[in-house]
Amino acid sequence: DAKTTQPPSMDCAEGRAANLPCNHSTISGNEYVYWYRQIHSQGPQYIIHGLKNNETNEMASLIITEDRKSSTLILPHATLRDTAVYYCIVRAMDSNYQLIWGAGTKLII
Amino acid sequence: DAGITQSPRHKVTETGTPVTLRCHQTENHRYMYWYRQDPGHGLRLIHYSYGVKDTDKGEVSDGYSVSRSKTEDFLLTLESATSSQTSVYFCATHAYEVDGYTFGSGTRLTVV
């Protein structure tokens, strides 16, 4: 079973910030939070990851709460091309390399 | 991604025939994976490799085998295709443990 909980769907107006929440209340100290997205029928695309500090790259920002039990992916200026299913995944570096994929959040711009 | 090529992109095959899917990467990444994606399921790991000739099973490995004789190629073989193996197959790679995965464009396999 996936170790994260995400809302099944969200809407966001074009040009506004899209804030996608993820709950990972059972996260362990050595587990990173990863975000991917999948645009219809394409391969998943890596967005960002973090351990405990907030992270930002050219695509998005990742905000992790201090207790690490939840996180938010922020797309600062959503466009139609950001319509996709967004997956939040936790993964330990000492795991057997498996990512456990849940159902994700369908973001509609 | 330009660095990962999956072939073929589409294939229709008959039940009972062997099928080999190829994943080719030009990134010199150490780790490679094969996933399948079906409606109602998230991506599920079939097999993975952490180096040349080093492979291991994922959660849905029955009926599949893999080989990695060189860094750039990871082959997935269905020994005797069944209708339950109709799916979209994705290859993924990464260089270091903490890296995000890079996925290929997928192979749509239909077993009739």
Side-chain angles (χ1 to χ4, degrees):
Chain A
D1 292 338
K3 298 172 69 173
T4 62
T5 303
Q6 300 176 253
S9 65
M10 294 181 61
D11 295 335
C12 180
E14 191 172 20
R16 303 296 296 268
N19 296 272
L20 292 90
C22 179
N23 180 285
H24 31 80
S25 59
T26 61
I27 194 170
S28 301
N30 66 344
E31 289 182 314
Y32 285 71
V33 179
Y34 289 78
W35 283 85
Y36 290 80
R37 72 181 182 183
Q38 187 172 26
I39 298 169
H40 180 63
S41 78
Q42 298 181 18
Q45 178 188 25
Y46 164 76
I47 301 172
I48 199 167
H49 73 278
L51 182 61
K52 52 184 177 182
N53 297 323
N54 298 336
E55 302 288 341
T56 295
N57 63 21
E58 65 280 2
M59 290 183 66
S61 295
L62 173 60
I63 308 299
I64 302 175
T65 58
E66 191 169 347
D67 63 7
R68 303 186 68 239
K69 293 185 177 182
S70 65
S71 61
T72 300
L73 178 74
I74 301 172
L75 308 178
H77 304 287
T79 71
L80 297 178
R81 288 175 294 182
D82 293 320
T83 292
V85 178
Y86 287 77
Y87 298 95
C88 169
I89 301 168
V90 297
R91 173 176 171 250
M93 288 305 105
D94 59 355
S95 70
N96 60 350
Y97 311 107
Q98 291 212 33
L99 298 180
I100 307 299
W101 298 76
T105 296
K106 172 69 172 177
L107 176 66
I108 299 172
I109 307 299
Chain B
D1 256 59
I4 300 175
T5 304
Q6 291 187 233
S7 59
R9 291 296 311 277
H10 301 272
K11 185 172 182 65
V12 179
T13 191
E14 292 186 350
T15 298
T17 60
V19 177
T20 295
L21 309 183
R22 182 188 186 219
C23 178
H24 178 78
Q25 55 127 338
T26 58
E27 308 294 331
N28 200 35
H29 285 175
R30 175 183 176 188
Y31 302 95
M32 298 186 75
Y33 306 79
W34 277 106
Y35 285 89
R36 62 179 288 175
Q37 187 172 35
D38 306 291
H41 294 274
L43 276 80
R44 293 182 290 174
L45 182 65
I46 306 171
H47 282 277
Y48 61 96
S49 169
Y50 41 96
V52 174
K53 299 192 189 306
D54 288 324
T55 65
D56 208 343
K57 297 178 180 180
E59 63 175 311
V60 291
S61 60
D62 287 348
Y64 302 94
S65 63
V66 290
S67 67
R68 191 166 179 205
S69 60
K70 47 187 178 177
T71 299
E72 57 266 36
D73 288 326
F74 193 31
L75 304 180
L76 177 70
T77 297
L78 289 66
E79 305 290 350
S80 177
T82 67
S83 58
S84 64
Q85 294 176 311
T86 292
S87 187
V88 180
Y89 291 85
F90 289 104
C91 172
T93 75
H94 64 105
Y96 301 102
E97 283 192 6
V98 75
D99 290 347
Y101 292 14
T102 300
F103 283 82
S105 299
T107 293
R108 184 172 297 276
L109 177 68
T110 302
V111 183
V112 298

